[in-house]
């Protein structure tokens, strides 16, 4: 075997162990409604907490997990864990908070996906409305009509649908055409270097107009600076997510954040936001 194949096998074995030994953890990153300054949802992001203490980011292992059958097993673990967390938040009085869960295109190939999801929700007595699925097309989806049928079925039951990393996928636009999408998350590559008059600025403005024309909410990913926040607010973006507000946090810290009044941190912005429904306090 060549080196690449040996390495792939080594990582695959390690991932098998990781799943058995419960080395995966979920971190949660808030999504903020720019009209109210409130956290409306938490995105569940998987991390691999290796036994040597190292925290490994998903882009380093998800492609391998996807290329093996492991993604279904890991996917179910992520789904159950995230559902249990949002249920716990609801029970702590945070009734309106939603959970956003990334669904791999590989999972969408599984014909049983929607059944599994609905069965687990039933078992856990969690309303489908508490969930939002984020779909990103990093690989071309085989059997797209099966994937779309499953998503449509889940959406009919009340699960929200978002297109993740919008603007980078193979066919983000065809999703908009074929699925009743609730939210479009603009990829952070358009936010990173945006300034007034730039190409990125025009693209953001055009995508926002298109989404609103279609009755879809728009979220700006990867907002890290006050300047970027200014711009996305000026463009009428509905929601945002990024390091300016919070990195993905371990469950305990995410819970603390939800119990705090997050508005305090960004309150001053809303006085200047022409789109804000919140009057200056
Ligand atoms: O593909 P998706 O958008 O789901 O990826 C989310 C990833 O983006 C997470 O791993 C998270 O750590 C990272 N992320 C979230 N907010 C920011 C940000 O403001 N800047 C950068 N560089 N990365 C971010
Ligand atoms: Mn996502």
């Amino acid at each position: 075997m060549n080196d690449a194949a040996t390495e792939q096998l080594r990582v695959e074995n390690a991932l098998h162990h990781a799943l058995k030994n419960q080395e995966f953890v979920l971190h949660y990153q808030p999504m903020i409604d720019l009209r109210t300054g409130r956290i409306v949802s938490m995105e569940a992001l998987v991390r691999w907490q290796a036994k040597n203490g190292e925290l490994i980011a998903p882009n380093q292992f998800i492609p391998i997990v996807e290329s093996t059958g492991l993604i279904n097993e890991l996917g179910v673990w992520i789904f159950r864990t995230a559902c249990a967390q949002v249920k716990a938040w609801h029970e702590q009085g945070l009734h309106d908070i939603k959970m956003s869960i990334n669904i791999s295109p590989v999972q969408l190939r599984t014909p049983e996906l929607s059944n599994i999801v609905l069965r687990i929700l039933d078992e856990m007595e969690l309303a489908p409305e508490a969930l939002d699925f984020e779909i990103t097309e990093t690989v071309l989806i085989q059997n797209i009509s099966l994937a779309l049928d499953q998503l449509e079925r889940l959406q009919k039951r009340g699960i929200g649908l978002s297109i993740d990393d919008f603007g980078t996928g193979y066919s983000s636009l065809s999703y908009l055409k074929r699925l009743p999408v609730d939210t479009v998350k603009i990829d952070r590559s358009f936010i990173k270097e945006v300034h007034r008059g730039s190409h990125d600025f025009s693209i953001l403005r055009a995508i926002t107009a298109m989404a609103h024309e279609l009755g879809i909410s728009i979220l700006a990913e990867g907002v890290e600076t006050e300047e970027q926040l200014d711009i996305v607010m000026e463009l009428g973006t509905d929601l945002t997510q990024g390091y300016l507000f919070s990195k993905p946090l371990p469950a305990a810290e995410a819970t603390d954040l939800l119990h705090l009044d997050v508005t305090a941190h960004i309150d001053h912005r809303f006085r200047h936001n022409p789109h804000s429904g919140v009057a200056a306090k």
Side-chain angles (χ1 to χ4, degrees):
M1 264 194 298
N2 61 33
D3 286 352
T6 314
E7 176 63 11
Q8 163 99 9
L9 209 73
R10 193 187 65 77
V11 180
E12 252 183 75
N13 277 328
L15 284 162
H16 262 296
H17 276 285
L19 205 60
K20 258 204 300 218
N21 300 340
Q22 300 180 314
E23 290 176 25
F24 291 106
V25 285
L26 291 187
H27 283 189
Y28 302 93
Q29 189 181 32
M31 294 183 194
I32 288 108
D33 182 331
L34 286 172
R35 284 177 184 74
T36 62
R38 306 299 304 268
I39 299 175
V40 288
S41 189
M42 285 286 197
E43 178 176 1
L45 294 156
V46 66
R47 301 285 184 265
W48 179 7
Q49 180 86 66
K51 279 285 170 269
N52 63 12
E54 200 189 344
L55 199 63
I56 304 161
N59 56 3
Q60 290 182 42
F61 62 88
I62 289 290
I64 298 168
V65 174
E66 281 180 337
S67 71
T68 67
L70 270 178
I71 189 66
N72 289 315
E73 224 178 306
L74 180 63
V76 167
W77 178 85
I78 291 170
F79 185 73
R80 277 186 184 280
T81 308
C83 286
Q85 182 61 73
V86 73
K87 194 173 160 73
W89 285 334
H90 288 181
E91 285 168 358
Q92 292 167 27
L94 303 158
H95 300 293
D96 297 327
I97 195 76
K98 294 191 175 207
M99 182 64 78
S100 297
I101 301 174
N102 293 285
I103 301 292
S104 154
V106 178
Q107 288 172 280
L108 289 173
R109 266 185 227 157
T110 319
E112 309 84 55
L113 180 79
S114 51
N115 286 331
I116 294 171
V117 162
L118 292 171
R119 200 190 59 231
I120 294 175
L121 283 178
D122 224 42
E123 254 172 55
M124 298 185 83
E125 296 178 26
L126 183 66
E129 287 77 12
L131 299 184
D132 191 86
F133 280 180
E134 296 191 6
I135 317 297
T136 180
E137 208 169 353
T138 47
V139 295
L140 270 178
I141 294 188
Q142 292 154 10
N143 201 350
I144 184 85
S145 56
L146 169 72
L148 293 172
D149 283 351
Q150 298 213 73
L151 289 173
E152 203 176 2
R153 178 164 174 234
L154 292 170
Q155 203 194 31
K156 280 208 180 106
R157 295 290 290 267
I159 294 179
L161 283 188
S162 298
I163 304 299
D164 210 355
D165 307 326
F166 189 83
T168 60
Y170 286 96
S171 55
S172 315
L173 278 173
S174 89
Y175 272 124
L176 296 191
K177 183 171 140 79
R178 298 181 62 179
L179 266 182
V181 167
D182 301 290
T183 307
V184 152
K185 300 181 75 177
I186 304 184
D187 189 68
R188 65 173 166 273
S189 58
F190 297 105
I191 312 288
K192 203 163 185 269
E193 287 159 6
V194 71
H195 57 88
R196 287 178 191 78
S198 68
H199 243 95
D200 286 338
F201 185 84
S202 304
I203 291 170
L204 288 180
R205 188 165 55 193
I207 295 178
T208 305
M210 179 190 65
H212 286 163
E213 183 72 27
L214 294 167
I216 296 170
S217 297
I218 189 117
L219 179 147
E221 288 185 327
V223 168
E224 296 181 351
T225 68
E226 296 276 342
E227 292 71 30
Q228 292 165 345
L229 179 62
D230 268 339
I231 289 179
V232 300
M233 283 178 114
E234 180 182 318
L235 290 173
T237 304
D238 305 286
L239 303 151
T240 194
Q241 192 178 10
Y243 293 171
L244 180 64
F245 297 110
S246 174
K247 294 195 169 189
L249 301 170
E253 287 170 50
T255 304
D256 288 347
L257 184 68
L258 283 172
H259 285 288
L260 278 173
D261 184 12
V262 68
T263 323
H265 170 63
I266 48 173
D267 223 2
H268 67 286
R269 315 301 308 228
F270 293 97
R271 288 180 207 142
H272 310 295
N273 182 6
H275 304 281
S276 173
V278 180
K281 282 182 204 150

